[in-house]
Amino acid sequence: MLAAAGAGVQVGAAIVASRFIVDSVPPLTLAMLRYAIGFLCLLPFALVALRGPHPAPPARDLLAMAALGAGQFGILIALLNFGLQHVAAAPAALIFSLFPLLTMLLAAVLGRERPGGWLGAGVLLSIAGVALSLGPKLQAGPGHGWWGEAAVFASACVGALCSVLYRPYLQRYPTVPVSAFAMLASVVFLAAAALAEGWPARVAALSPTAWAVVCFIGLSSGVGYFWWLYALKHESPTRVTAFLALNPVTAAVLGWLLLREPLPPQMLGAVALIAAGLALATRGPSGGRQARTG
């Protein structure tokens, strides 16, 4: 649970940092740099872990983990970065915190988890918080584009699917090598996709300030996603993703402090609802008793 909480805070901080430079670094290029740095951070630890007496994954598992890595670390972040070009950090983080509900629904549909009443109530409170945060835009009527919000929501859908499908592989193989391999797969995928953005020229033109922010995002992502996968290995997907409710709190506070983004009253109420949802969602049996290994 501590690992899941740390990952939730890291996501919020990375959203604010990405928002800071998303106008100067295109979304696919930023995602590629993020996980290239994250992969380099994890590589030494992955090589040490591979020296242990672990069976080599068959080709089908390697292909599946590569596909999940491209989704979790590539497509998800590219969609999120695109959304952050059009949405402020705090509302984007609140939309992204629909992640737990989507994870719970997918886990139930696929037979991987039997969600309890406290969990469902907590997730519903989180959704109420997201709805409250979007209230002003909903009242504004037509003529206001929703591309940014749709991209952030789509990134949450991708993440929920990958979180549910990751669990069997995390239970078979060491966490750090799985994390590093998934990141490497995402970097290869993103390097090809980001050619359309002219990433070699973009990277060469980055300012020292932009590089500092990119390095922070990459280093924190390497640590954060290790915590994330470690938590998924030991707890049910829905209980782990419930801790993403910490990311809008982090994003709202840091966005206000560092980016001078407004913190209206309804945003504070939304954060309170999501925090209450987190408290409810983490009550009851632990993931080991609640989840099926499938």
Side-chain angles (χ1 to χ4, degrees), residues 20-21 24-25 29-30 32-34 36-37 199-200 202-219:
F20 182 77
I21 60 167
S24 56
V25 186
T29 301
L30 179 56
M32 179 195 69
L33 292 174
R34 175 178 186 161
I37 295 170
W199 70 259
R202 294 274 193 173
V203 170
L206 285 181
S207 67
T209 300
W211 266 118
V213 176
V214 167
C215 287
F216 165 77
I217 296 171
L219 290 169

Side-chain angles (χ1 to χ4, degrees), residues 175-221:
T175 304
V176 177
V178 171
S179 305
F181 179 74
M183 282 192 182
L184 178 60
S186 73
V187 171
V188 173
F189 168 80
L190 288 166
L195 286 174
E197 297 175 344
W199 70 259
R202 294 274 193 173
V203 170
L206 285 181
S207 67
T209 300
W211 266 118
V213 176
V214 167
C215 287
F216 165 77
I217 296 171
L219 290 169
S220 67
S221 296

Side-chain angles (χ1 to χ4, degrees), residues 15 34 75-84 92 96 151-152 155:
I15 284 176
R34 175 178 186 161
I75 297 172
L76 182 157
I77 297 299
L79 287 169
L80 182 59
N81 289 344
F82 174 80
L84 287 169
F96 194 73
V152 176
S155 74

Side-chain angles (χ1 to χ4, degrees), residues 13-151:
I15 284 176
V16 173
S18 299
R19 174 72 176 167
F20 182 77
I21 60 167
V22 76
D23 290 334
S24 56
V25 186
L28 292 173
T29 301
L30 179 56
M32 179 195 69
L33 292 174
R34 175 178 186 161
Y35 289 113
I37 295 170
F39 169 72
L40 292 176
C41 291
L42 291 180
L43 181 59
F45 303 99
L47 294 175
V48 171
L50 288 174
R51 293 176 184 174
H54 304 291
R60 65 178 181 277
D61 284 2
L62 289 173
L63 288 173
M65 287 188 288
L68 289 171
Q72 181 88 52
F73 303 119
I75 297 172
L76 182 157
I77 297 299
L79 287 169
L80 182 59
N81 289 344
F82 174 80
L84 287 169
Q85 291 180 321
H86 306 279
V87 184
L94 285 164
I95 296 169
F96 194 73
S97 60
L98 287 173
F99 204 138
L101 172 67
L102 299 168
T103 303
M104 183 180 71
L105 293 176
L106 285 169
V109 168
L110 296 175
R112 300 289 178 86
E113 189 176 341
R114 292 189 294 267
W118 286 116
L119 191 58
V123 171
L124 289 175
L125 267 180
S126 295
I127 294 176
V130 174
L132 180 61
S133 75
L134 295 177
K137 192 160 188 176
L138 289 170
Q139 295 171 3
H144 294 266
W146 288 87
W147 289 109
E149 288 84 354

